Amino acid sequence: APHRTYLEGGSDTGRAPASIPRTSTSGDHARPRGEPIDASDDRRSTRAPGSRPPSGGARPMKLLEEAFAKGGGGHVRLVPDNPEDMWHVYNLIRVDDHVDAVTFRKVTRGGGDERAGAAESERVRVRLRLRVEDVDYDGEGDSVRVKGRNTTETDSVKLGAYHTITLEPNRPVTIEKVEWDVLDVDRVRDLSDPASTADLAVLLITEGLANLALVGSSVTTFKAKVEKAMPRKSGAAQMGYAKALETFHRNVFAAVERCVDFSRVKCVVVAGPGFAKDAFMRHVDATLARTAGGGGNGAGDAKAAGGGTAQLAASSANRGKFVECHASTAFKGALREVLENPSVAALIADTKAAAEVRALDDFFETLADRPDRALYGPAHVLAAHDMLAIESLLIVDSVFRSKDANERRRWAQTVDEVRGAGGKTHVFSAAHASGEQLWELTGVAATLRFPLPDLVDAELPPPQF
């Protein structure tokens, strides 16, 4: 019989204080590709000082050029490749930065007089350099929209004219800043980290409902949702139940094969309540066994699963990556519960997502057991920092997107000083469930080196930046 891996200790649900609601990520990333581009115009620099080495077959983020120093000005030139990269780009770009990229502009030609004939419009490809006034992240389309004034005059766009550039995967972009703070430097270094990939796939499944998510270092993407109306297990509808369940399992298996790149994903966790996950894995084992043995209706199974025998063979070769654990539901909110499972955490122990979950869990334990050594809120955290009391600082990257430059500078300085004093810092991604939960807790929290009961109980005014 095929080998089956079970995760022990998975029957406990994820723990969280009653006052902190569970959160979930949202959005299925499905976007038609943009117009094909000619990347040859941006091959002037062949130096790649921070290029990420290939990780598990995944294409690396291309860092074509970097010229900056912490606390000083400079630029980076890079080519984002996937949603993870686009999230990093979004967090790197801020108001008053300069962005240089290729875009398309609709230009009207002719129509000035009767002899010229009717006016004609066409889309022309132009390179623009914008001084940024607004940045927007489109999680659904894996793109970043940058709005600002043009600082280089061209035939199509006047100097000082407003324009919006849509940054997409596989399109080079240059980001220039007057000041690169510690958070910017850390993010560029993350682009060179081999662990910054989609490390884990999670399939949340119950009878009639399945949600498939890819968990990366910075972004959690729900790639597929499969639903099927299920007849009752008893009565006249009983005979149609088995057929409906088989159809549901085939559709879920097809979604896994379509969305999971086994060359880069470390494991696929199948989680859910009751015996739904066990039934699905029996279907997977039976399908792979029929295909491998050439018996039954392997070709038909492959076609029904939405892929050919090559996809099934790939899944068969990676069968050992499938593991099972308990989850209370198959809804998206159960993802954090799965990540908190000790056995799952052990499988992805070296990833940033797992580190965030552990840090948040430690904070809640301290808040429950030793409330005088844990606090949250900007005013309380900054006051504790002034006393050099912070042992571990937890902060969501959304905090650094404040339009108040002084506020961002203060938090960047705080992160740097906590590290310099020997403390730990955890910058949470707002695109992860753990980051969303910390954001509901004001976005900033800390555990302390020593008790500060008076500060914890004090009512402080909002900080002035």
Side-chain angles (χ1 to χ4, degrees):
H3 174 69
R4 174 169 292 178
T5 305
Y6 288 88
L7 298 181
E8 299 297 332
S11 59
D12 294 333
T13 59
R15 181 197 55 76
S19 59
I20 308 299
R22 298 191 183 277
T23 60
S24 64
T25 54
S26 61
D28 296 339
H29 288 78
R31 166 184 71 82
R33 285 287 181 183
E35 296 187 19
I37 66 167
D38 179 9
S40 60
D41 62 312
D42 290 304
R43 301 301 172 87
R44 294 173 293 178
S45 171
T46 58
R47 185 173 69 89
S51 296
R52 180 195 304 166
S55 174
R59 289 191 298 170
M61 169 75 159
K62 295 178 183 178
L63 189 56
L64 301 178
E65 182 181 351
E66 67 173 72
F68 64 86
K70 187 174 77 170
H75 69 275
V76 292
R77 184 168 189 77
L78 45 84
V79 183
D81 177 63
N82 51 50
E84 290 273 340
D85 296 340
M86 297 309 301
W87 178 255
H88 283 300
V89 169
Y90 167 68
N91 281 280
L92 273 176
I93 300 174
R94 295 192 302 279
V95 174
D96 290 334
D97 289 348
H98 285 83
V99 172
D100 186 310
V102 170
T103 185
F104 293 88
R105 181 86 172 187
K106 189 175 183 179
V107 177
T108 302
R109 304 185 187 278
D113 52 59
E114 295 181 357
R115 291 175 297 177
E120 296 182 355
S121 61
E122 62 176 331
R123 292 189 61 179
V124 297
R125 184 172 179 270
V126 295
R127 174 185 294 283
L128 295 181
R129 175 182 166 88
L130 301 184
R131 182 173 180 178
V132 179
E133 295 190 5
D134 189 38
V135 190
D136 180 47
Y137 174 70
D138 180 11
E140 297 290 333
D142 298 345
S143 63
V144 175
R145 288 186 291 271
V146 180
K147 180 182 179 181
R149 287 184 180 270
N150 180 36
T151 61
T152 55
E153 187 170 8
T154 68
D155 294 337
S156 305
V157 184
K158 295 181 179 180
L159 185 67
Y162 277 103
H163 191 80
T164 299
I165 296 178
T166 300
L167 305 178
E168 296 180 313
N170 302 312
R171 291 188 174 181
V173 57
T174 300
I175 304 170
E176 184 175 347
K177 297 176 176 289
V178 175
E179 179 183 357
W180 288 79
D181 61 32
V182 62
L183 280 309
D184 296 326
V185 175
D186 285 350
R187 195 167 291 277
V188 172
R189 296 295 168 254
D190 284 343
L191 301 179
S192 309
D193 184 2
S196 297
T197 59
D199 306 284
L200 176 70
V202 177
L203 177 65
L204 302 169
I205 187 170
T206 189
E207 290 184 358
L209 173 65
N211 280 295
L212 177 63
L214 296 181
V215 182
S217 63
S218 300
V219 176
T220 296
T221 308
F222 278 92
K223 301 294 291 186
K225 180 179 182 180
V226 180
E227 295 180 296
K228 174 70 176 176
M230 300 296 295
R232 294 183 179 180
K233 295 183 181 180
S234 58
Q238 183 177 6
M239 296 186 63
Y241 176 81
K243 184 177 180 180
L245 185 63
E246 177 71 16
T247 301
F248 171 67
H249 285 161
R250 284 203 308 267
N251 293 340
V252 174
F253 185 69
V256 172
E257 291 220 305
R258 183 175 64 254
C259 300
V260 177
D261 182 357
F262 286 95
S263 66
R264 68 183 296 185
V265 169
K266 292 184 177 181
C267 63
V268 180
V269 178
V270 182
F275 299 101
K277 58 186 178 298
D278 306 88
F280 173 71
M281 290 312 302
R282 285 196 296 270
H283 169 83
V284 172
D285 291 336
T287 302
L288 296 180
R290 287 196 300 270
T291 306
N297 188 21
D301 290 334
K303 182 177 181 181
T309 56
Q311 288 90 338
L312 282 172
S315 295
S316 180
N318 291 282
R319 174 59 181 86
K321 292 186 177 182
F322 284 82
V323 295
E324 300 174 37
C325 78
H326 175 81
S328 58
T329 74
F331 293 104
K332 295 179 179 180
L335 178 61
R336 192 179 69 85
E337 179 184 338
V338 173
L339 295 178
E340 286 182 344
N341 184 291
S343 300
V344 175
L347 295 172
I348 55 171
D350 59 338
T351 65
K352 184 174 181 290
E356 291 179 2
V357 172
R358 288 196 301 270
L360 191 60
D361 199 49
D362 291 343
F363 169 78
F364 283 138
E365 287 184 2
T366 305
L367 189 63
D369 300 336
R370 296 174 293 172
D372 56 354
R373 296 188 62 169
L375 43 75
Y376 55 89
H380 288 80
V381 170
L382 290 174
H385 173 59
D386 291 340
M387 302 177 187
L388 300 179
I390 294 181
E391 180 179 52
S392 181
L393 174 65
L394 288 65
I395 186 167
V396 181
D397 55 14
S398 301
V399 172
F400 302 106
R401 299 206 57 81
S402 170
K403 294 183 178 181
D404 186 342
N406 292 328
E407 180 179 356
R408 176 189 166 83
R409 192 175 295 112
R410 177 70 182 277
W411 285 117
Q413 181 182 353
T414 300
V415 169
D416 205 15
E417 290 174 352
V418 169
R419 292 176 181 174
K424 298 179 181 179
T425 60
H426 301 275
V427 180
F428 285 62
S429 170
H432 271 324
S434 55
E436 290 184 1
Q437 188 178 13
L438 181 58
W439 181 252
E440 292 187 357
L441 207 65
T442 73
V444 185
T447 56
L448 308 178
R449 302 177 190 273
F450 45 84
L452 290 175
D454 293 338
L455 176 60
V456 170
D457 295 335
E459 293 186 7
L460 303 179
Q464 298 297 319
F465 299 102

